[in-house]
Amino acid sequence: MAPNDPYSAMSWAIELAHFNPADHKPGLQAEVESLVRRAGETMGMDTQRGGHILKADIMLTTRGPMILELTPRLSGGWDSSFSSPQRGADFVGGALGLAMGETLDEAAWQRYFQYKNPERVVAVLARVEPGARDCIGRDFAPGIGTDRAGALRQAYESLQAGKFLN
C-alpha cells in the first residue's frame, strides 16, 4: 500500500465505489442472474402474480458469487436514484408502476428498465473517513463518461473538489 493511501486502515468490507454497468468476466452476469432467480423462486416469488423487484447485494468470492442480502425492493443507494437514471432507466417509475398493478410486459420493460443510454458509464466514489469500521458517514462523488477510466477520473475529481451527491 502507498504511504498516503486513505483506505489502508479501514475494514475490508466497506463499499468504496460502484460502477454502472459492472464489468466482469464473460458468463458472470448469467451466473448471478441464475443465482438471484433461484433465490427468488425459493422465496416463492415465481408463484405470485405480476412483476416483482428483487434486489440482491452480491459479493464475488473465490467460490463464485454469494448473496449477502436479498430484499424485495430497489437499491437504497445511488444506483436507483443516480446511476441508472443517468443511463436512461427509470427503476423508481417502474417499481411504482408495478405496485399500481401495471403489467410487466415488453413495453413496460423498455419504458422503465431498459437503458436508453447503454454506452454511458457512471461511477460513484465514496469518501470514507480514515480508520472507518463500517459504511456510516460516507459522502459520494459522481462521475460520468464513455468508459470506466473516464467515469472514475471524473468521480475522483469530484471527490477532490468536494462535489458530492446529496
Side-chain angles (χ1 to χ4, degrees):
M1 300 234 172
N4 296 334
D5 182 357
Y7 302 120
S8 63
M10 75 177 57
S11 172
W12 67 272
I14 295 178
E15 182 181 20
L16 302 177
H18 97 213
F19 289 96
N20 186 340
D23 184 25
H24 296 289
K25 67 179 181 174
L28 183 61
Q29 180 177 346
E31 191 177 347
V32 169
E33 286 176 2
S34 175
L35 177 67
V36 173
R37 178 176 299 279
R38 290 189 322 261
E41 290 169 353
T42 298
M43 294 171 55
M45 293 185 92
D46 59 326
T47 63
Q48 298 174 2
R49 289 181 23 188
H52 305 287
I53 292 175
L54 185 59
K55 176 189 134 334
D57 285 352
I58 304 288
M59 182 173 280
L60 302 178
T61 73
T62 56
R63 295 185 338 214
M66 301 283 180
I67 295 174
L68 300 176
E69 174 187 26
L70 192 66
T71 55
R73 64 174 177 88
L74 292 174
S75 170
W78 293 108
D79 181 60
S80 299
S81 61
F82 182 73
S83 64
S84 288
Q86 288 295 321
R87 296 188 65 226
D90 181 12
F91 290 4
V92 174
L96 291 171
L98 292 175
M100 298 297 292
E102 191 171 339
T103 301
L104 181 57
D105 55 16
E106 185 65 29
W109 179 264
Q110 289 179 7
R111 185 169 49 258
Y112 298 120
F113 302 108
Q114 185 169 343
Y115 294 109
K116 282 122 185 115
N117 304 307
E119 73 288 348
R120 191 174 288 172
V121 177
V122 180
V124 178
L125 186 59
R127 180 181 71 176
V128 181
E129 294 299 322
R133 304 305 300 160
D134 56 35
C135 293
I136 297 171
R138 297 173 298 165
D139 291 310
F140 300 92
I144 301 169
T146 56
D147 61 20
R148 289 170 64 86
L152 184 57
R153 184 173 26 265
Q154 190 179 85
Y156 184 73
E157 290 169 2
S158 294
L159 185 136
Q160 294 297 327
K163 295 179 182 174
F164 299 109
L165 297 167
N166 294 327

